[in-house]
Amino acid sequence: MHFLSAAHSDIGTTKQNNQDSLCLKIADTKLGEIAFVVVSDGMGGLKKGELASATVIRTFSDWFDKVFPNNLGNTVDLKQIAEQWGNLISSLNYKIGEYGINTGIQLGTTICAIIIINGKALVCNVGDSRAYSLGSNILQITKDHSVIAMEIETGRITKEQAKFDPRRSVLTQCIGASQNVTPDFYEVTAIPGTAFIICSDGFVHEISNEEIFSNLNPKLVDDENSIKPRLIDLVERIKSRGEKDNISVVYIKNV
């Protein structure tokens, strides 16, 4: 398996600093190429949200470089990876939470991560950063851990009403600001010709799934150099529609 990929992160139109952090790594292993992506959207005063998200990225990046190679045999056990990620997230939640208590600053961060190995992918999320798969259409893999997502799921509000709801950014859990964190895990297929998007919530508020798919349809993407301009074009479109948050997105296609 081979991958085409690109990433783009933008401070947006109103923020003083970019509190999003991301990691994109492609490793050549005895099982073939393996793709690893993490997006983390920090929140907190001054640069503390940036600190929280960067801490998550650094920890997961170190895991991929130093721990993950020990998982490589003739196959890879995704359940074992999920257990390791769960332990990392629990440790990070405690570490960032303790930092916040000791400094008197409330801070936290989301995470959305994916690892793609031999036609299979493991996705993990806490908060409202998202993962999508793109094949013949676009499908949201993750569920937001947010008040609005709960309201939509219970039928108390519609998706259209949610766009204007002042609680849109209120999370039900995030790393560092929740007493306990329970990540969601998803195992999905990753056949050649399909693609994945991992993004912070700033990428999805002011654009439809149809627009995303029409620009990033994997059938249209056969050159890695063309991906970044497509991402930039979408982000600029989102900013022009009034999105105020930081915006980060990673696109990765199996070929």
Side-chain angles (χ1 to χ4, degrees):
M1 184 170 285
H2 177 59
F3 299 99
L4 305 178
S5 62
H8 182 56
S9 187
D10 193 290
I11 193 172
T13 59
T14 61
K15 301 284 187 177
Q16 293 184 338
N17 62 301
N18 192 344
Q19 296 189 329
D20 288 356
S21 300
L22 60 84
C23 170
L24 165 61
K25 294 188 174 185
I26 309 294
D28 192 10
T29 75
K30 61 184 179 182
L31 297 179
E33 281 194 352
I34 292 175
F36 176 66
V37 177
V38 188
V39 170
S40 186
D41 178 359
M43 58 215 75
L46 299 175
K47 292 190 176 181
K48 299 308 179 183
E50 183 179 349
L51 173 64
S53 65
T55 300
V56 167
I57 294 299
R58 183 172 60 252
T59 300
F60 268 74
S61 179
D62 285 347
W63 169 86
F64 186 73
D65 292 341
K66 300 173 183 178
V67 178
F68 173 67
N70 298 325
N71 296 336
L72 287 172
N74 294 326
T75 60
V76 174
D77 186 350
L78 294 183
K79 289 182 171 55
Q80 181 183 33
I81 294 175
E83 181 179 354
Q84 292 173 355
W85 285 6
N87 291 336
L88 285 181
I89 289 170
S90 179
S91 176
L92 283 162
N93 188 52
Y94 176 80
K95 179 180 179 180
I96 294 171
E98 283 294 297
Y99 177 86
I101 292 170
N102 293 335
T103 57
I105 298 171
Q106 187 173 17
L107 75 166
T109 187
T110 70
I111 184 174
C112 189
I114 186 171
I115 190 165
I116 308 171
I117 308 168
N118 279 351
K120 295 181 179 180
L122 176 70
V123 177
C124 166
N125 82 295
V126 175
D128 59 357
S129 293
R130 293 180 178 178
Y132 293 85
S133 64
L134 296 89
S136 59
N137 56 18
I138 183 170
L139 174 67
Q140 183 178 333
I141 299 170
T142 54
K143 293 183 179 181
D144 295 348
H145 299 144
S146 68
V147 170
I148 288 300
M150 290 177 60
E151 294 288 275
I152 293 172
E153 189 171 6
T154 56
R156 286 192 283 266
I157 65 172
T158 66
K159 289 184 178 180
E160 190 62 31
Q161 290 171 327
K163 295 178 182 179
F164 308 100
D165 196 296
R167 301 168 297 170
R168 190 169 73 171
S169 298
V170 179
L171 302 181
T172 55
Q173 63 170 345
C174 68
I175 298 173
S178 301
Q179 184 172 1
N180 296 298
V181 170
T182 305
D184 287 336
F185 292 95
Y186 307 85
E187 291 188 24
V188 296
T189 57
I191 61 175
T194 61
F196 294 92
I197 294 172
I198 312 297
C199 61
S200 61
D201 67 315
F203 183 72
V204 300
H205 291 154
E206 302 296 336
I207 198 166
S208 68
N209 284 357
E210 291 73 21
E211 285 180 284
I212 295 172
F213 186 71
S214 66
N215 282 269
L216 297 174
N217 183 337
K219 290 184 178 179
L220 304 177
V221 178
D222 54 10
D223 175 13
E224 188 166 68
N225 293 329
S226 71
I227 302 174
K228 181 90 169 184
R230 290 175 183 270
L231 299 181
I232 293 173
D233 178 68
L234 286 174
V235 169
E236 292 303 312
R237 191 181 310 179
I238 291 164
K239 288 163 58 180
S240 73
R241 295 174 181 174
E243 178 58 53
K244 298 178 180 179
D245 204 355
N246 307 140
I247 305 169
S248 296
V249 56
V250 181
Y251 180 90
I252 186 158
K253 177 185 174 181
N254 317 321
V255 294

